[in-house]
Amino acid sequence: MAYKDLEKRKAYLERWKEANKKERNEYFKQYREANKNKIKEANHRWHEANKQKQSEYNQRYYKNNKEKIREAHYLTNYNITVEERNKMSEEQKGICPLCLKHESELNKILIVDHNHTTGKVRKLLCDSCNRGIGLLRENVDILKRAIEYLEEHK
């Protein structure tokens, strides 16, 4: 059906898309599956040709969606909300339980520490303390030996 009026054509196409949603989704799913490499190569070419444009877009997106990104980060990585993280900070009075420094001294918020094996959230730590635990592979025996080593070589 040909339309001379562009708005009528757009409305018709929207109705058609909605009426044929399942079939279209299945068609595109099959197309993507059959053309994985072709799509991957086209995406790679586009990104190579548009690095600056993509970088600017990413910066704008981050600037305009900081809270949304933060919320997604906490939910995806730790299965907690921003509110739960903030409550943890209040309970700790903004203090890292290891070095006892306050967030205001660190010029950075405390970050979520979690067990990498179980995924269980422990507490909020400063970046340095969290990295230290991580670099020692969260291994209690290594941490004990590190303490003994430091005590011995004061």
Side-chain angles (χ1 to χ4, degrees):
M1 180 183 294
Y3 283 105
K4 291 181 182 177
D5 184 351
L6 186 59
E7 292 305 314
K8 283 185 180 179
R9 174 142 180 82
K10 284 182 181 179
Y12 168 78
L13 287 173
E14 287 305 313
R15 287 191 310 273
W16 183 87
K17 285 179 186 177
E18 191 60 37
N20 295 283
K21 194 173 194 173
K22 285 183 182 177
E23 294 85 357
R24 292 183 73 231
N25 286 344
E26 185 58 34
Y27 168 80
F28 287 123
K29 181 180 177 183
Q30 288 175 3
Y31 177 85
R32 285 189 303 272
E33 189 63 37
N35 295 284
K36 276 183 183 177
N37 290 335
K38 183 179 177 181
I39 293 167
K40 185 177 180 180
E41 289 169 11
N43 286 340
H44 180 72
R45 282 193 309 274
W46 186 91
H47 284 287
E48 284 299 313
N50 295 283
K51 282 183 180 180
Q52 183 65 32
K53 184 178 181 178
Q54 187 67 44
S55 176
E56 290 167 1
Y57 170 81
N58 290 345
Q59 288 171 3
R60 275 192 318 276
Y61 184 84
Y62 179 76
K63 182 181 176 185
N64 295 328
N65 295 284
K66 285 182 183 178
E67 288 305 313
K68 183 178 178 180
I69 293 167
R70 183 175 289 131
E71 185 74 39
H73 170 74
Y74 288 131
L75 282 172
T76 302
N77 294 302
Y78 313 115
N79 199 29
I80 63 172
T81 64
V82 171
E83 291 78 22
E84 291 170 316
R85 183 254 169 239
N86 292 341
K87 185 178 178 196
M88 289 172 68
S89 183
E90 286 175 24
E91 290 170 356
Q92 290 179 219
K93 296 179 177 38
I95 296 171
C96 173
L98 302 184
C99 67
L100 304 178
K101 287 187 179 177
H102 191 272
E103 287 176 322
S104 60
E105 294 176 68
L106 303 166
N107 297 322
K108 200 171 183 185
I109 65 170
L110 297 177
I111 57 177
V112 177
D113 176 47
H114 69 290
N115 182 311
H116 286 90
T117 305
T118 66
K120 183 181 176 198
V121 171
R122 293 187 276 233
K123 286 197 171 205
L124 301 179
L125 302 178
C126 72
D127 187 55
S128 296
C129 291
N130 191 50
R131 285 176 188 260
I133 288 173
L135 289 170
L136 294 174
R137 298 184 297 275
E138 300 183 14
N139 185 308
V140 175
D141 294 329
I142 294 173
L143 288 163
K144 286 178 183 176
R145 286 194 296 276
I147 291 168
E148 289 170 9
Y149 174 84
L150 290 173
E151 291 288 338
E152 184 181 319
H153 295 88
K154 280 187 178 180

